[in-house]
Amino acid sequence: MSDKLIIFDTTLRDGEQSPGASMTREEKLRIARQLERLKVDVIEAGFAASSNGDFEAVKSIADTIKESTVCSLARANDRDIARAAEALKGARSARIHTFIATSELHMEKKLRMTREQVLEQARLAVRFARNLCDNIEFSPEDGYRSDPDFLCRVLEAVIEEGATTLNIPDTVGYAIPELYGNFIRSLRERVPNSDKAIWSVHCHNDLGMAVANSLAGVKLGGARQVECTINGLGERAGNCSLEEVVMAVKTRRDYFGLEVGIDASQIVPASRMVAQTTGFVVQPNKAVVGANAFAHASGIHQDGVLKARDTYEIMRAEDVGWSANKIVLGKLSGRNAFKQRLQDLGVALESEAEVNAAFVRFKDLADRKSEIFDEDIIALVADESVTQEQEHYRLLALSQSSETGERPHAAVTFSAGHEEFRAEADGNGPVDASLKAIESRLQTGAELLLYSVNAITSGSTESQGEVTVRLQLGGRVVNGVGADPDIVVASAKAYLAALNKLHSKAERVAAQG
Ligand code: KIV
Ligand code: ZN
C-alpha cells in the first residue's frame, strides 16, 4: 500500500457551507493560490452546478492553479456532472466528485428513493462522469450511518464504473475513532475490487473528533486520502482541520509512517487568510494555528524551553509559519526591503501596482506604529488585495470623542465613488457612534450579524486591532475586515469593506452539499 497520504482540501466547498463564510470568486481564487503554495494535492474549489457564481469560481481556479488537482462537487445527476466538467475544462489536472446519500434515513426522508434506485443512480452518475474526466471521486453521503451490506454493493458498483477515489463521509460527525477506523477497514476488506481505488475519509466535527476519526481511518482503515479544511472551517462544528491532521502525521511519522507533500511553513499564512476572508476567527488555544499554540506562559515551561526546546515543544513554531512576532521592518525601510519581506512571507501580490499601493499603506502604518511585525504586513496586504478589487467606499477621516458620563460622538468622512460625505452620530460607544454615522448617511439597512476585534500581534497595546464585521442585506451575508492601530478606525474600515462587498456585483456563492 502507498505510503503517500493525499491531502484533499475542501475549505472552498464544505468549509464555505458554514453560514456567513461564503466567499466571492476573487476571495476563493486568492485562497486557492495559497492552497497551491501550501502544496495541497487536491483543491475542492466549489460546487459548480449550485450557482453561476460558484461555477465561475471553480472555473477561474481551474484555469489558474497548476500544481494541485482542482475538483468540483456534483450531485449524482448528468446536469450537475456536465456543469462540473465544463467548469473544470481549463484545469491541468481535474477531478469530479459526485455523491448521493446511502443511509436509510437520507434515502427515505430526503431523496424519497429506494435502495435499488440509489444504487442505479450512483452507477449511472459515475459512468457518465468517467466519460468526461478520468479522475472520479464518489461519496456515499452519510456513509458512516449506512447499512454496510448495501454500502458495499454501491461501492463495488461505482468502482466497476471507473471511480478512482472512494470517500466515506461521516456527514453528521457521529463516529468514534476506533469504530470509524474499523468501518473503513471492513469496507475495504469486503468490497471485492477495493484495491482499484484510493480510499478517503471525510469527517465532521460535531463531537469534536473529526481529526481523531480521520487519523483512525488512515491508521486502522488504510485510507490514503484525508478531506479537511483550513482552521477546521465548516458547517456546525466544522470539518477535520488540515493543520492538525498534517502536523500529526508529520510529527508522529514514527507511528503513521506516511508522507505528506504539504509545505508546513505555509500553514499559518493560510490560516490567517481564511480567518480574515471569512471572519471566522481562530480561537487562541487552537492547536497549531492558535495565537497561544506555542506560547509558554508558566515559568517552569519557559525555563525548560530555554534550556532545551524539546522539553515542552513537539513542533517548532517557525516550521508551521509562525514568525515569532519578529520586528521586521520600520519607518526607514525601502520598497525593495518591503517587497523582499512579502516574498519571504510567501505573499504574492498580482501586480506592481498592488505592491506600490501596499507600500504606501505600509509607510502610513510605520508613521503611526514604531514596530512592524510580519502579522501587520500580512493584514495590510490582505486589506490591499480586497481594496484593489472592489473599493467603492473609502474611509478618509474619522474623529470621535468619548468621556466618562458623556455620550460618545463620531464624525466620519468617507468617499463613495467620486463623491465625498461627512456624517456625524452619537452612540453607546465610539465604535457604535462611527458605524451609526456611516449608516445615517448611506441608509443601507444592512443588519449587523457579527462584530469582533482581535489583536494582530500579541503582548502589546501597540498592536493593530483587526476588526471583522458581518452584514446581512437582502439574503446576502458578507464579511468586512479592517486593521488599524486605532480600533475605532479599524471598525469603520471593516464596516465600509463589508459595504463594498454588498455594493459589488460579485455574486456571493453558497454551495450546498
Ligand atoms: O459531509 C458530507 O457528506 C459531504 C459530502 C458531499 C462529501 O460533504
Ligand atoms: Zn462534508
Side-chain angles (χ1 to χ4, degrees), residues 388-441:
Q388 291 277 321
E389 275 160 24
Q390 41 193 212
E391 193 168 61
H392 177 69
Y393 302 112
R394 187 184 183 105
L395 181 70
L396 300 175
L398 186 152
S399 70
Q400 50 86 11
S401 58
S402 58
E403 197 180 327
T404 318
E406 296 295 321
R407 195 158 162 76
H409 183 81
V412 186
T413 310
F414 58 96
S415 58
H418 297 296
E419 282 186 272
E420 191 172 311
F421 298 111
R422 185 182 145 83
E424 299 192 26
D426 289 346
N428 285 341
V431 169
D432 187 43
S434 305
L435 304 197
K436 282 196 169 127
I438 298 173
E439 192 52 33
S440 72
R441 188 68 190 75

Side-chain angles (χ1 to χ4, degrees), residues 13-14 17 73 97 99 139-142 167 169-172 202 204 227 239 513:
R13 198 280 296 170
D14 218 352
Q17 280 177 216
L73 187 70
H97 176 190
F99 74 99
S139 288
E141 191 189 6
D142 206 17
N167 179 47
D170 176 23
T171 304
V172 291
H202 178 112
H204 282 262
E227 303 203 350
N239 283 62

Side-chain angles (χ1 to χ4, degrees), residues 192-237:
N193 46 4
S194 67
D195 60 329
K196 306 236 162 13
I198 290 172
W199 290 70
S200 166
V201 289
H202 178 112
C203 298
H204 282 262
N205 202 34
D206 299 67
L207 292 172
M209 289 188 281
V211 171
N213 288 335
S214 302
L215 291 172
V218 170
K219 182 71 183 174
L220 304 178
R224 286 294 175 266
Q225 173 176 287
V226 174
E227 303 203 350
C228 45
T229 61
I230 303 290
N231 300 337
L233 187 71
E235 252 178 317
R236 309 186 307 276

